[in-house]
Amino acid sequence: MSTTLWNPKPVRFLEGERIYLRPVGQEDAEGYFRMLFNPEMRRLTGTRQALTLEGIRRYIDGKTGDASTVLLLIALRDSDEVIGDIALQDIDPANRNANIRIAIDSEEHLGKGFGPESMRLLLEYGFGILNLHRIELQVFGYNVRAIKAYEKVGFKREGVQRDALYYNHRYHDSVIMSMLEDEFRALYHQQAE
């Protein structure tokens, strides 16, 4: 009887109720490339750059070896379908802070709670494993759905960078939000007495 250590199913790095987060590999480059050209996702994230498939491959290689970034794909538990990506970036161990970003690929997956569930998983990792103290994000003022989702997760508005993004013939504000470790623990780790 032989046993094998290889399992063709994707690795589940962080697992939630309906989604899981897994590392990005070169086998994901083509799907990631297509995801970056979704017009609505580009608008919501303010993406302007036209990337090539080879550029995506280099990006994945660079992020894989970068200790200041945790880049993960968001997949549905039931089907393994990739529906977006999420990242902790600019991880600063000395000051114990980082930036978080998320993108859900298509309209059919928005408004179903996948984004907040993904955020909570990565926040748990950031505060509970990486020992971060502060995690921040920036969201464009026209992305009202995302702002409401971030507030629901527990992020607080810190300020606004006025006219920070020029996109589609107009300037747009960027809203700065953050969460501190004690705020996260108060929301998600209240101990019953």
Side-chain angles (χ1 to χ4, degrees), residues 18-33:
R18 298 176 306 139
I19 57 96
Y20 65 92
L21 308 180
R22 70 170 178 82
V24 180
Q26 283 300 326
E27 67 278 6
D28 300 304
E30 289 186 34
Y32 200 72
F33 175 71

Side-chain angles (χ1 to χ4, degrees), residues 76 81-83 104-115:
L76 299 177
E81 176 188 0
V82 173
I83 63 167
I104 302 293
D105 180 33
S106 69
E107 190 71 30
E108 74 180 275
H109 296 115
L110 294 174
K112 296 184 177 177
F114 296 132

Side-chain angles (χ1 to χ4, degrees), residues 55-142:
I56 295 300
R57 292 187 194 288
R58 284 193 305 271
Y59 174 78
I60 291 171
D61 280 344
K63 293 300 177 187
T64 306
D66 180 359
S68 71
T69 301
V70 176
L71 174 62
L72 302 167
L73 294 177
I74 304 166
L76 299 177
R77 279 183 62 151
D78 294 341
S79 65
D80 297 321
E81 176 188 0
V82 173
I83 63 167
D85 73 320
I86 189 168
L88 274 176
Q89 307 172 125
D90 305 319
I91 298 170
D92 177 351
N95 293 306
R96 297 178 50 218
N97 61 49
N99 173 285
I100 194 167
R101 69 159 184 77
I102 185 172
I104 302 293
D105 180 33
S106 69
E107 190 71 30
E108 74 180 275
H109 296 115
L110 294 174
K112 296 184 177 177
F114 296 132
E117 184 177 349
S118 301
M119 292 288 280
R120 285 190 298 273
L121 284 173
L122 198 52
L123 289 168
E124 181 72 44
Y125 180 75
F127 291 125
I129 303 298
L130 298 182
N131 193 28
L132 295 175
H133 174 69
R134 179 179 187 278
I135 298 177
E136 70 175 27
L137 60 83
Q138 289 186 309
V139 58
F140 299 115
Y142 56 79

Side-chain angles (χ1 to χ4, degrees), residues 124 182-193:
E124 181 72 44
D182 59 328
E183 295 167 340
F184 178 81
R185 289 188 181 108
L187 283 171
Y188 300 105
H189 290 276
Q190 293 180 357
Q191 296 180 354
E193 298 207 15

Side-chain angles (χ1 to χ4, degrees), residues 40-52:
E40 183 63 3
M41 190 177 88
R42 291 175 68 80
R43 184 184 76 81
L44 294 175
T45 60
T47 302
R48 295 177 293 216
Q49 189 175 4
L51 301 166
T52 64

